Amino acid sequence: MKTPINLLKILILFPQLCWASSYSITDLGWVGWPASIFDSNDSGSATGQMTAYHGNTTAMYFDGANFSNIGNLENINYYTSSARGINSSNQVTGSSDISYYSTIRSRAFVWDNGTFTDLGVLEGHESSGGRDINDSGVVVGTMHTSKGETRGFIYENGVMEQLMGLNGKHIEPFAINNLGQFVGTSSASVESTHAFIGSGSEIQDLGTLGGNHSWAIHINDLGAVVGGAETLQGYRHAFIWKDGVMSDLGTLGGFQSQAYSINSMNQVVGWAENSKNIGEAFLYRDGEMFSLCGLVNCESYGWGSLNTYTINNNGEIFGTGYLDGSYHAFVVTPVPITSAIWLFGSGLVGIIGISRRRRKS
């Protein structure tokens, strides 16, 4: 009579056995330091910033095979730029230096297949920068006043509008999903800033983990949010917020952590301190936090520390790190154990056979 229960257990565990029991790391080539990959899509394209030949940072685009320097709004070699978000159509948003009389200022942009669009800035602000772009081409980002105040904006169909935060305070959006929900941080009081989720003019305070501050960094299309929040003890911990509840993801044995990206399977990547209080990249899945270096066995392949800010819906993790002493980009890929399929099939046949023999006896 126990056979159906055991069979049920196998049926439940089978997807977990086959999904990602191991991971592999692939070197994507030298990108120079400082360089970062900030976002990726499900086609395996990614974007971020790299070091150009003149030594300044420049926005970069990875097409799945090669990195390219996409330059800046005015195509001036020594001007800096950075790309922060990419959508499924490989449209990229970020910020770029521009000439403003005798000075240099920053402007938000959208880059689409080699063509830049300057998103401009609202009156009363000096600079702007794009943070994320969804599949409808809607951009969220930040603007700055001459007094250094930070304001949020949303750009849709050629129109930029200012976003208002909690209690009408300043807002700093970091990400937007395909439902138009955006997340970031906003002043909650004189002494605190809180993570929020917004849609249209509605803004919801996500709270903290007991401390004064929290920051929402990314959101998936299911509305799950990740970021960092202060605990009652004053440490910053990575969190996931879903179904109205903020949960502490913990650390790798140290005091602090920060989440940067979440995919549709609620797998999270970020940064956490280990038991030696050294920060390293992590992957959080199935209720447990793992060292990314531990999953791919960094030392065996010559990799040093890894940094990651993005995971796509295929479970691919893009980032940068040291390989044999120089700074390279990488992608970590989940590797299903195909033998689990054979084991499942043979085990299922065996269980059925045993069950039949018991019934005959």
Side-chain angles (χ1 to χ4, degrees):
M1 298 296 293
K2 294 182 179 179
T3 300
I5 298 176
N6 292 334
L7 178 58
L8 179 61
K9 287 182 179 179
I10 293 176
L11 289 171
I12 292 171
L13 292 173
F14 177 63
Q16 300 177 25
L17 289 173
C18 293
W19 161 236
S21 295
S22 63
Y23 290 81
S24 65
I25 186 168
T26 302
D27 176 21
L28 301 181
W30 178 86
V31 288
W33 188 91
S36 297
I37 297 177
F38 292 120
D39 200 13
S40 59
N41 61 26
D42 296 344
S43 299
S45 299
T47 196
Q49 64 185 33
M50 63 190 303
T51 303
Y53 66 90
H54 48 68
N56 288 346
T57 57
T58 182
M60 68 177 177
Y61 167 67
F62 178 71
D63 63 6
N66 300 294
F67 285 96
S68 58
N69 172 357
I70 65 176
N72 54 73
L73 282 166
E74 297 184 355
N75 198 29
I76 297 177
N77 284 339
Y78 58 87
Y79 276 13
T80 64
S81 60
S82 176
R84 293 283 176 164
I86 186 171
N87 65 15
S88 62
S89 300
N90 293 327
Q91 294 176 309
V92 173
T93 190
S95 60
S96 167
D97 284 349
I98 65 164
S99 303
Y100 185 81
Y101 296 101
S102 59
T103 64
I104 298 175
R105 291 185 177 177
S106 182
R107 285 290 185 274
F109 69 77
V110 168
W111 179 90
D112 188 356
N113 194 29
T115 301
F116 276 99
T117 299
D118 185 343
L119 304 191
V121 66
L122 292 178
E123 185 177 354
H125 300 82
E126 292 190 343
S127 62
S128 61
R131 292 286 191 148
D132 198 17
I133 182 169
N134 69 13
D135 288 348
S136 298
V138 181
V139 177
V140 291
T142 55
M143 304 176 293
H144 300 278
T145 68
S146 59
K147 296 180 180 180
E149 298 171 323
T150 301
R151 312 273 174 77
F153 75 79
I154 187 166
Y155 182 93
E156 184 174 7
N157 297 324
V159 178
M160 178 181 284
E161 296 182 356
Q162 183 175 336
L163 293 172
M164 300 304 295
L166 300 170
N167 305 316
K169 303 291 186 178
H170 94 273
I171 190 173
E172 189 171 357
F174 290 111
I176 184 170
N177 67 11
N178 289 320
L179 301 178
Q181 297 172 305
F182 51 91
V183 297
T185 185
S186 173
S187 293
S189 67
V190 176
E191 298 179 347
S192 65
T193 56
H194 282 192
F196 73 84
I197 181 172
S199 181
S201 60
E202 299 293 324
I203 302 293
Q204 180 180 351
D205 189 338
L206 303 188
T208 73
L209 291 171
N212 290 329
H213 305 289
S214 58
W215 307 263
I217 304 299
H218 198 238
I219 181 172
N220 66 16
D221 287 338
L222 300 175
V225 181
V226 294
E230 281 189 356
T231 65
L232 189 62
Q233 293 75 27
Y235 298 116
R236 179 188 296 200
H237 276 198
F239 74 79
I240 182 171
W241 181 94
K242 59 181 180 178
D243 301 324
V245 178
M246 179 181 287
S247 300
D248 189 340
L249 300 188
T251 71
L252 290 170
F255 293 103
Q256 305 201 80
S257 59
Q258 170 74 49
Y260 292 119
S261 181
I262 182 171
N263 66 11
S264 60
M265 294 174 286
N266 289 335
Q267 296 172 328
V268 181
V269 295
W271 165 94
E273 289 181 345
N274 59 27
S275 59
K276 297 180 180 179
N277 294 326
I278 298 174
E280 56 178 304
F282 75 76
L283 168 65
Y284 182 92
R285 68 169 202 197
D286 303 324
E288 188 173 356
M289 181 181 288
F290 300 90
S291 161
L292 193 59
C293 255
L295 288 176
V296 299
N297 198 3
C298 280
E299 292 184 3
S300 297
Y301 296 97
W303 287 92
S305 60
L306 303 179
N307 300 293
T308 182
Y309 298 96
T310 177
I311 182 171
N312 66 21
N313 291 326
N314 301 319
E316 296 169 325
I317 302 166
F318 289 85
T320 53
Y322 283 99
L323 177 63
D324 296 328
S326 60
Y327 215 58
H328 284 230
F330 67 80
V331 59
V332 169
T333 307
V335 181
I337 296 181
T338 54
S339 60
I341 299 174
W342 180 86
L343 288 171
F344 173 76
S346 60
L348 182 58
V349 170
I351 289 170
I352 293 172
I354 293 171
S355 178
R356 285 179 176 174
R357 287 196 297 271
R358 285 181 175 176
R359 287 177 183 175
K360 287 181 181 180
S361 62

